Amino acid sequence: MLCVRPSLPGDVPAQRELWRLAFGDEEAYVDNFYRTYYRPERVLVLEEEGQVRAMTAWFDTAFAVPGRGNFRAAYLYAVATHPACRGRGLAGRLLAGADRYFRERSIPAVTTVPAEPSLHRFFAANGFRECFVHHTVHSGPTPGGEGAGFDLRPVSPAAYGAGREALLAGTPHIVYPEEALAYQAGCCALGAGGGLFQADTPEGPALLCAERADGARMVLKELLASPGAAALVLSGGRLCRLLGARTLEVRTPTGAGSGVQFGMLKWLDPALEGAWDWTSTAYLGLGFD
């Protein structure tokens, strides 16, 4: 018999094993989740004959849509099925059970960040549609010295969240609770020089979520700033020096072109589903990828 239910503390060893088998993450990465964000009700499991076969964590976020309001949204994360049980439709059953769980709690929207193109197709087959995009630029030291001077300082998850909302005002976007930002900060801190930062420039503040990809490259999982502040931060080589990186991969809410498809949305409320303009896009930003 199959059932989808909120997890129990006793499920944690099985969850961690699923996480390891599905994603291959280091223990320190998984430890960070269980230390900063985990509660039993924040993980749903699919159980078969008393054994945990599949799981998903979820972040309790909000979808802020200017002119329409804020909608509570469950962001699915670490969706995993035991390798020995794949090919049986268990992940689809897990997602259907998660939908019931969220509807019972009056959560009208579900989001997720597929890790690869094939998973976009999987989630599409389970009711999700493309919605969230970002723009990616690559940056490194340029001729002409360091460029404009600015300070770069670490900020707390609470301060980052408050500044993030100010900078994204007027943009449809996902709002993260402080605990989710604390988890993100912990992920970033696992690599040298990573974390949540604010750059104070003559053109205003810029927020950076920086995570080291390898010895020479840093990923700014988001850079939030006015156009003038963003240009100052990325000019010259000062930011690379401050972060200890040779090159930067930078994700921003706006930019040239159509953007990178990043996150997907499912409305669980038929009225909201029918009213949503699927030609529009929104910003999710901090995918915990």
Side-chain angles (χ1 to χ4, degrees), residues 54-56 76 78-81 86-96 112-130 264 266:
M55 62 171 275
T56 181
L76 299 185
V79 180
T81 302
R86 291 174 183 165
R88 297 172 48 201
L90 297 186
R93 297 279 292 273
L94 173 67
L95 296 184
T112 195
V113 177
E116 56 188 50
S118 65
L119 291 177
H120 280 259
R121 295 189 292 272
F122 165 76
F123 283 106
N126 285 276
F128 288 83
R129 297 177 69 174
E130 303 293 347
M264 303 180 77
K266 180 198 292 187

Side-chain angles (χ1 to χ4, degrees), residues 178-288:
E178 183 178 344
E179 289 170 295
L181 294 173
Y183 170 61
Q184 180 67 86
C187 292
C188 292
L190 293 174
L196 304 178
F197 301 97
Q198 179 168 318
D200 298 306
T201 83
E203 295 292 328
L207 291 177
L208 300 78
C209 174
E211 185 171 277
R212 188 166 299 278
D214 53 44
R217 183 169 63 95
M218 187 78 80
V219 175
L220 299 192
K221 301 180 81 169
E222 66 179 10
L223 168 62
L224 303 177
S226 69
L232 285 175
V233 166
L234 294 178
S235 65
R238 184 173 179 80
L239 184 58
C240 284
R241 183 180 66 78
L242 291 173
L243 292 174
R246 187 176 303 128
T247 60
L248 302 173
E249 177 185 316
V250 185
R251 302 173 185 172
T252 63
T254 60
S258 58
V260 178
Q261 290 183 340
F262 188 61
M264 303 180 77
L265 169 69
K266 180 198 292 187
W267 288 109
L268 300 180
D269 182 312
L272 294 173
E273 162 76 21
W276 184 251
D277 177 7
W278 287 104
T279 66
S280 65
T281 59
Y283 177 70
L284 189 144
L286 292 173
F288 301 107

Side-chain angles (χ1 to χ4, degrees), residues 47-48 77 79 88 137-138 161 168 171 203 219 232 238:
E47 183 181 79
E48 180 183 43
Y77 175 66
V79 180
R88 297 172 48 201
V137 297
H138 296 271
L168 287 173
T171 300
E203 295 292 328
V219 175
L232 285 175
R238 184 173 179 80

Side-chain angles (χ1 to χ4, degrees), residues 5-12 15 19 30-45 55-60 72 77 101-102 177-180 182-183:
R5 59 169 175 79
S7 73
L8 301 169
D11 296 323
V12 169
Q15 293 169 25
W19 194 314
V30 183
D31 288 343
N32 177 51
F33 174 80
Y34 284 95
R35 182 178 65 253
T36 60
Y37 190 78
Y38 172 76
R39 292 180 188 169
E41 66 274 16
R42 291 175 177 172
V43 176
L44 303 178
V45 299
M55 62 171 275
T56 181
W58 67 283
F59 292 94
D60 198 348
R72 193 177 176 193
Y77 175 66
Y101 181 83
F102 299 137
E178 183 178 344
E179 289 170 295
Y183 170 61

